[in-house]
Amino acid sequence: MDASRDIGSFVVWDYVVFAGMLLISAAIGIYYAFAGGGQKTSKDFLMGGRSMTAVPVALSLTASFMSAVTVLGTPAEVYRFGAMFSIFGITYFFVVVISAEVFLPVFYRLGITSTYEYLELRFNRFIRLCGTVLFIVQTILYTGIVIYAPALALNQVTGFDLWGAVVATGVVCTFYCTLGGLKAVVWTDVFQVGIMVAGFASVIIQSAITQGGINTILSDASKGGRLNFWNFNPNPLQRHTFWTIIIGGTFTWTTIYGVNQSQVQRYISCKNRCHAKLSLYVNLVGLWVILTCSVFCGLALYSRYHDCDPWTSKKVSEIDQLMPYLVLDILKNYPGVPGLFVACAYSGTLSTVSSSINALAAVTVEDLIKPHFKSLSEKSLSWVSQGMSVLYGALCIGMAAVASLMGALLQAALSIFGMVGGPLLGLFSLGILVPFANSIGAFAGLLAGFAISLWVGIGAQLYPPLPERTLPLSLHIHGCNITHNGSAWTSTTEMPFSTSAFQIHDVERTPLMDNWYSLSYLYFSTIGTLVTLLVGILISLSTGGRKQNLDPRFLLTKHDFLSNFDVFKKKNHVLSYKSHPVEDGGIDNPAFNHIELNSTGHSGKTNGTRL
């Protein structure tokens, strides 16, 4: 090992900073368990009493999916494949506009707690159940990866016990979710976004000082081919190009922001629709800030190690451990600052896991328990919601053990959202955008979309694409003083990207593997969505979908867009709802009350719903 590159280790102050972040997160949970009379009803617990405002919800939205996978995975991605990842900045804009203008108006108008309630109102209870089950499976899988990622970093950087860290994450999250409900989740997210930005900033500032300025970092990155923003190759088999990131990325992230319960639950907990939309647009700025920080950290990584790659020279065992390695390398003389970075990675995890646990509890209570146990009181439902939080916390910890087998984190996480989220996005799009879609078409579409995206997704895990598809950039170790085998490698372009334990080696490549299974992982959700839509439309048309009478409130209408301008016309638009008591679950949302909406009688029961 190059003696000049001995990295530091954790000291007492690092543990103090890290423990402080965990304690403050837990304290916020305790505060919201008792503030304002505590969590009296399941609506208080799951929806924050529908009284949230735009800015904390926006920061919470940013924190929820900018997880440790982002903090550790994105800089490693840029180090390995270049700064093309920053094109996601354009993708986020499209995603936020689609979510705010297509999905939010319908969900908010109906005053639902679980997005899957919409599927029952629009189609039937069976379709709702399918959506709920898919969401639960997807979220537990994803959350396992998110818990495992920072534990891996901690283990690498500090020698923390890997599974001790996994359990600690799950326990702290479950603690404040169970005590404080959605309000605790949102406000801990606000705190954790601050920690994430501080952690990134400390690395960026110190990298610039160590490397001799930002210009040096950009110059090194340019020489190493890392500033490769514009690759307009239309080939869908190429892992990242301008088109895969814009088209595939928009579909993948819309499955998260448009219809995923973890995100939708936040913005429909806002006190009015204006705050709900505003939260999405403010969150866009947050996404851009975090993306810029993580891409720049990747370029700083390359500048620091362009002639002595720690991964090739076996100083780290996984590509996702490069960021913690850099932190201990450049910040070893600043006690407490490496702890801040690990707290930054951990904050990403806590925010994502807590959102997931809260969303899983909401979906289980609303979709699986309430329809079958209608006699349960609000107090009982609140206790059930808390019990579900504990149960899902335990399940997510268990899932982290499986995640340890999945290899490269960023790609694994986005692949799961693509495979399961794509068909779900197609299902909701059918309901909201296609007036003649019926339940037969919806089910057939969902089945077809899920089968296709699962086929390509699992195939890609088993037979990863070859390097000419993924285009990793060269990594060098000629600057390292490696003497143990007498010969220093010069590049590792051929190392496979996926380190999945499920990978099948030494197999003759077939056209199926080199084409279908080599499809960019960002297109998994695009295929799932489009197949679901296409099959759903064709089957609906052939099974009499045009004859059904449909309540227009379940569809996106012209008025939904025009009502964006109501704020200039009506000053009393929001105030007119104040007569609805808080016990009925809403502050500005009259649709939200405790009557059960069932598929046979919903037209009569929700006539009061309006914008």
XYZ file of all heavy atoms in Angstrom, residues 41-43 47 49-50 108-114 117 366 370 378 381 580-598 602 604-610:
352
model
N -55.542 9.477 16.658
C -56.243 8.648 15.659
C -55.242 8.106 14.650
O -54.098 8.575 14.563
C -57.281 9.487 14.877
O -56.564 10.455 14.081
C -58.235 10.202 15.804
N -55.707 7.139 13.854
C -54.812 6.604 12.821
C -54.503 7.690 11.789
O -53.450 7.687 11.172
C -55.453 5.388 12.139
O -56.643 5.759 11.481
N -55.423 8.653 11.600
C -55.174 9.744 10.641
C -54.057 10.653 11.141
O -53.231 11.125 10.364
C -56.457 10.570 10.419
C -57.609 9.761 9.841
C -57.247 9.155 8.495
C -58.345 8.265 7.965
N -58.560 7.061 8.740
N -51.171 10.393 8.620
C -51.244 11.549 7.708
C -50.878 12.867 8.378
O -51.080 13.928 7.792
C -52.672 11.677 7.135
C -53.159 10.454 6.387
S -52.139 10.046 4.972
C -52.342 11.478 3.966
N -52.440 14.380 10.552
C -53.654 15.186 10.702
C -53.946 16.063 9.494
O -54.731 16.999 9.569
N -53.308 15.784 8.372
C -53.445 16.607 7.144
C -53.241 18.090 7.432
O -54.032 18.929 6.993
C -54.821 16.404 6.499
C -54.910 15.017 5.923
C -55.978 14.901 4.877
N -56.006 13.516 4.454
C -55.849 13.094 3.212
N -55.696 13.934 2.248
N -55.866 11.821 2.928
N -55.354 14.076 -4.492
C -55.715 15.061 -3.463
C -57.225 15.287 -3.424
O -57.829 15.397 -2.366
C -54.977 16.385 -3.694
C -54.939 17.198 -2.421
C -53.902 17.027 -1.510
C -55.968 18.075 -2.090
C -53.883 17.718 -0.316
C -55.959 18.762 -0.896
C -54.912 18.583 -0.009
O -54.897 19.250 1.185
N -57.828 15.327 -4.615
C -59.269 15.563 -4.704
C -60.058 14.465 -3.988
O -61.083 14.729 -3.362
C -59.664 15.607 -6.187
C -61.155 15.660 -6.434
C -61.462 16.027 -7.855
N -61.001 15.046 -8.815
C -60.244 15.337 -9.882
N -59.843 16.559 -10.089
N -59.894 14.395 -10.731
N -59.590 13.228 -4.085
C -60.325 12.106 -3.497
C -60.066 11.955 -1.997
O -60.727 11.167 -1.328
C -59.964 10.806 -4.226
C -60.389 10.753 -5.695
C -59.814 9.536 -6.379
C -61.910 10.762 -5.827
N -59.091 12.686 -1.463
C -58.850 12.655 -0.026
C -58.496 11.283 0.506
O -58.937 10.891 1.582
N -57.681 10.542 -0.234
C -57.374 9.164 0.173
C -56.126 9.125 1.047
O -55.319 10.038 1.033
C -57.168 8.265 -1.065
C -56.149 8.895 -2.014
C -58.472 8.011 -1.770
C -55.962 8.160 -3.309
N -55.993 8.073 1.855
C -54.785 7.877 2.672
C -53.815 6.975 1.941
O -52.631 7.247 1.852
C -55.153 7.238 4.029
O -56.011 8.131 4.724
C -53.909 6.984 4.867
N -54.333 5.870 1.406
C -53.496 4.949 0.632
C -53.773 5.187 -0.846
O -54.929 5.259 -1.255
C -53.847 3.504 1.002
O -53.461 2.638 -0.036
N -56.276 2.956 -2.511
C -57.722 3.195 -2.420
C -58.254 3.661 -3.774
O -59.372 3.350 -4.165
C -58.021 4.289 -1.380
C -57.939 3.844 0.063
C -58.197 5.019 1.002
O -59.330 5.530 1.002
O -57.274 5.412 1.721
N -55.014 0.737 5.876
C -56.096 1.221 5.004
C -56.613 0.154 4.036
O -57.800 0.069 3.764
C -55.612 2.448 4.201
C -55.389 3.679 5.038
C -56.672 4.221 5.650
O -57.734 4.155 4.999
O -56.616 4.696 6.801
N -58.663 -2.202 7.607
C -59.946 -1.477 7.738
C -61.099 -2.092 6.939
O -62.206 -2.207 7.443
C -59.763 -0.003 7.359
C -59.376 0.853 8.558
C -59.069 2.275 8.171
C -60.321 3.082 7.912
N -59.994 4.521 7.765
N -61.108 4.417 16.260
C -59.932 5.164 15.816
C -58.738 4.913 16.727
O -57.608 4.830 16.293
C -60.252 6.670 15.766
C -60.869 7.101 14.457
C -59.978 6.778 13.261
O -58.769 7.045 13.302
O -60.489 6.228 12.270
N -57.290 1.614 15.824
C -56.560 1.707 14.558
C -55.199 2.373 14.750
O -54.224 2.015 14.102
C -57.379 2.476 13.520
C -58.519 1.701 12.863
C -59.386 2.635 12.036
C -57.977 0.571 11.980
N -65.238 22.384 8.300
C -65.139 20.946 8.518
C -64.257 20.680 9.727
O -63.123 21.111 9.765
C -64.524 20.262 7.289
C -65.447 20.340 6.118
N -66.432 19.424 5.894
C -65.535 21.246 5.115
C -67.094 19.756 4.792
N -66.553 20.856 4.305
N -64.769 19.985 10.730
C -64.013 19.806 11.966
C -62.802 18.901 11.769
O -62.795 18.025 10.921
C -65.021 19.143 12.913
C -66.020 18.501 12.015
C -66.086 19.338 10.778
N -61.777 19.121 12.596
C -60.545 18.348 12.494
C -60.793 16.876 12.774
O -60.177 16.011 12.201
C -59.486 18.910 13.472
C -58.237 18.051 13.473
C -59.132 20.332 13.089
N -61.763 16.568 13.657
C -62.017 15.158 13.963
C -62.394 14.381 12.704
O -62.264 13.188 12.647
C -63.162 14.969 14.975
C -62.950 15.677 16.295
C -63.455 17.100 16.229
O -64.660 17.319 16.379
O -62.612 17.979 16.018
N -62.911 15.083 11.699
C -63.269 14.380 10.467
C -62.063 14.145 9.578
O -62.201 13.805 8.427
C -64.347 15.160 9.697
C -65.720 14.558 9.927
O -65.776 13.547 10.656
O -66.697 15.071 9.383
N -60.871 14.379 10.145
C -59.676 13.928 9.462
C -59.054 14.937 8.537
O -57.934 14.763 8.137
N -59.729 16.021 8.176
C -59.133 16.950 7.237
C -59.148 18.339 7.793
O -59.954 18.666 8.639
N -58.267 19.198 7.306
C -58.320 20.595 7.695
C -58.892 21.378 6.533
O -59.867 22.068 6.669
C -56.921 21.083 8.087
C -56.562 20.432 9.432
C -56.899 22.593 8.206
C -55.317 20.930 10.037
N -58.298 21.199 5.367
C -58.835 21.889 4.193
C -59.416 20.905 3.196
O -59.655 21.242 2.061
C -57.726 22.693 3.500
C -57.237 23.803 4.385
O -57.973 24.127 5.320
O -56.154 24.320 4.139
N -59.552 19.665 3.592
C -59.958 18.662 2.621
C -61.245 17.977 3.050
O -61.236 17.090 3.892
C -58.844 17.633 2.479
C -59.087 16.760 1.276
O -60.230 16.531 0.900
N -58.028 16.263 0.671
N -62.386 18.387 2.511
C -63.667 17.881 2.983
C -63.908 16.414 2.674
O -64.745 15.780 3.278
C -64.679 18.741 2.221
C -63.960 19.140 0.980
C -62.526 19.299 1.364
N -63.140 15.876 1.719
C -63.403 14.475 1.338
C -62.910 13.513 2.391
O -63.245 12.350 2.373
C -62.695 14.162 0.032
N -62.100 14.025 3.303
C -61.421 13.084 4.172
C -62.191 12.872 5.459
O -62.110 13.635 6.384
C -60.019 13.608 4.470
C -59.154 12.515 4.936
C -58.720 11.567 4.034
C -58.845 12.376 6.262
C -57.964 10.522 4.461
C -58.074 11.332 6.688
C -57.636 10.411 5.793
N -62.994 11.838 5.502
C -63.689 11.536 6.739
C -63.641 10.045 6.983
O -63.039 9.305 6.227
C -65.125 12.063 6.682
C -65.822 11.608 5.434
O -65.627 10.467 5.010
N -66.607 12.479 4.821
N -64.279 9.598 8.055
C -64.068 8.224 8.479
C -65.054 7.232 7.902
O -65.107 6.091 8.336
C -64.096 8.139 10.014
C -63.054 9.009 10.632
N -61.820 9.203 10.034
C -63.046 9.754 11.761
C -61.097 10.017 10.793
N -61.814 10.365 11.828
N -65.881 7.655 6.935
C -66.761 6.645 6.337
C -65.948 5.794 5.387
O -65.044 6.261 4.729
C -67.960 7.288 5.588
C -67.494 8.351 4.589
C -68.961 7.840 6.556
C -68.602 8.898 3.753
N -66.253 4.537 5.365
C -65.518 3.599 4.503
C -65.994 3.762 3.061
O -67.186 3.701 2.784
C -65.805 2.171 4.984
C -65.143 1.106 4.146
C -63.621 1.187 4.228
O -63.115 1.664 5.255
O -62.971 0.793 3.261
N -65.050 4.000 2.162
C -65.423 4.108 0.749
C -65.379 2.719 0.140
O -64.320 2.131 0.003
C -64.417 5.002 0.013
C -64.275 6.429 0.530
C -63.224 7.148 -0.278
C -65.595 7.159 0.419
N -66.537 2.149 -0.193
C -66.450 0.831 -0.841
C -66.888 0.935 -2.287
O -67.506 1.899 -2.705
C -67.249 -0.233 -0.072
C -68.719 0.109 0.005
O -69.279 0.598 -0.971
N -69.339 -0.138 1.152
N -69.589 4.136 -3.609
C -68.763 5.327 -3.439
C -69.342 6.568 -4.100
O -69.089 7.665 -3.677
C -67.327 5.088 -3.922
C -67.232 4.602 -5.324
N -66.870 3.316 -5.617
C -67.459 5.222 -6.502
C -66.858 3.178 -6.928
N -67.204 4.310 -7.474
N -72.254 7.791 -4.099
C -73.097 8.567 -3.205
C -72.334 9.107 -2.027
O -72.638 10.177 -1.528
N -71.339 8.365 -1.577
C -70.693 8.738 -0.330
C -69.695 9.861 -0.487
O -69.363 10.520 0.466
C -69.967 7.521 0.259
C -70.925 6.493 0.805
C -70.181 5.382 1.505
C -71.142 4.364 2.066
N -70.464 3.265 2.721
N -69.160 10.066 -1.682
C -68.105 11.062 -1.793
C -68.524 12.252 -2.651
O -67.700 12.939 -3.199
C -66.826 10.439 -2.381
O -67.159 9.841 -3.627
C -66.216 9.424 -1.458
N -69.844 12.463 -2.732
C -70.296 13.587 -3.549
C -69.808 14.934 -3.041
O -69.770 15.897 -3.766
C -71.833 13.610 -3.620
C -72.305 12.752 -4.777
O -71.520 12.428 -5.655
N -73.567 12.361 -4.772
N -69.466 14.986 -1.746
C -68.992 16.252 -1.201
C -67.584 16.606 -1.651
O -67.117 17.685 -1.378
N -66.923 15.677 -2.315
C -65.537 15.931 -2.701
C -65.479 16.974 -3.803
O -66.149 16.849 -4.798
C -64.916 14.636 -3.245
O -65.287 13.577 -2.395
C -63.420 14.750 -3.330
N -64.656 17.969 -3.585
C -64.491 18.953 -4.651
C -63.176 19.675 -4.437
O -62.551 19.556 -3.386
C -65.646 19.943 -4.655
C -65.729 20.773 -3.382
C -67.036 21.537 -3.322
N -67.064 22.454 -2.220
C -67.280 22.118 -0.964
N -67.450 20.853 -0.639
N -67.304 23.027 -0.016
